[in-house]
Amino acid sequence: MIPLIVERNKYAAQFGERHPSVRALDHEIEVMKAELKRQIRENTVAAKNLETLSMKAGKDRFDVKSEARLEIENSIAALKMERSKLEANFGRSHPAVKRIDDEVQARQSQLKRQIQAEAPGKLTAIIKSFKREIVMVKNELAEAESEIERLKDVLLGEAERVRKVRHQEKLRHQD
């Protein structure tokens, strides 16, 4: 964008502000500014919606099962397989089938307690991840805003230079 600004100011000094080349460069510079502003707006919206989007897109990313949880789930699966075999051989009313049913219920309760115990750690990990992503987006926004401010300064400097050149030309024409 800076080369465009320099070129624009050079043409403005040579041909005047209303020259077609100057107007074309003005238009191109305005398009680039608009694009930068659009990107800033998009990043702002993305930052505001980051938590919701991360929850939808990354839900499974944070569903890491602990060893204890996996062990309980595996034991429930093994008990259910054993129950199926016993039921096939002896029927539902057999005492061994009923004992396994009770054990499965106990293990499922244990699994629920384990999941509840793990939940705060997962929530903390999710929050930390969101905070890191938000900081990254804020940094990108700050960089874009800084670039816009720098470009504004360049434009103002170039405009001042053009005014000085014009003033000098007027003084020369008066002599």
Side-chain angles (χ1 to χ4, degrees):
M1 195 156 142
I2 291 174
L4 286 176
I5 294 168
V6 170
E7 185 177 353
R8 180 243 180 251
N9 290 334
K10 182 178 80 173
Y11 285 151
Q14 284 179 335
F15 308 116
E17 293 289 326
R18 299 193 184 275
H19 190 273
S21 297
V22 174
R23 287 185 178 178
L25 288 168
D26 283 341
H27 176 70
E28 200 168 333
I29 290 167
E30 287 304 313
V31 168
M32 291 180 92
K33 281 185 192 177
E35 178 61 19
L36 275 173
K37 287 179 182 178
R38 184 192 65 75
Q39 287 178 0
I40 289 171
R41 278 192 306 273
E42 280 182 9
N43 286 341
T44 302
V45 169
K48 289 178 182 175
N49 294 325
L50 184 62
E51 184 172 347
T52 303
L53 295 173
S54 293
M55 287 295 275
K56 289 179 182 175
K59 184 178 178 185
D60 294 335
R61 179 173 74 188
F62 299 106
D63 192 22
V64 178
K65 296 180 181 181
S66 68
E67 282 188 44
R69 185 172 165 188
L70 286 172
E71 186 178 315
I72 295 167
E73 288 175 348
N74 289 339
S75 70
I76 290 171
L79 285 168
K80 285 182 176 181
M81 286 178 59
E82 185 180 343
R83 182 195 183 283
S84 293
K85 289 177 187 175
L86 287 172
E87 185 179 345
N89 290 330
F90 303 111
R92 279 189 189 168
S93 57
H94 194 273
V97 173
K98 289 185 178 190
R99 180 189 56 77
I100 290 176
D101 285 339
D102 292 341
E103 183 66 24
V104 166
Q105 282 183 339
R107 293 290 178 137
Q108 286 174 336
S109 294
Q110 183 183 8
L111 179 60
K112 285 179 186 176
R113 287 190 302 276
Q114 182 66 33
I115 291 169
Q116 289 170 346
E118 293 173 5
K122 285 183 187 178
L123 186 57
T124 301
I126 291 169
I127 290 169
K128 284 181 182 179
S129 175
F130 290 153
K131 285 181 178 180
R132 281 191 301 272
E133 290 181 45
I134 288 169
V135 166
M136 286 175 25
V137 169
K138 283 182 178 179
N139 289 339
E140 289 174 6
L141 284 171
E143 288 175 16
E145 288 170 349
S146 174
E147 179 68 13
I148 287 174
E149 288 303 314
R150 189 175 68 75
L151 291 172
K152 283 181 185 176
D153 290 343
V154 168
L155 276 173
L156 290 173
E158 288 295 316
E160 183 61 31
R161 190 178 70 74
V162 167
R163 280 193 282 278
K164 286 179 183 178
V165 168
R166 283 192 177 156
H167 181 69
Q168 290 172 356
E169 287 177 356
K170 284 182 185 178
L171 291 176
R172 276 186 260 165
H173 288 295
Q174 289 176 354
D175 292 339

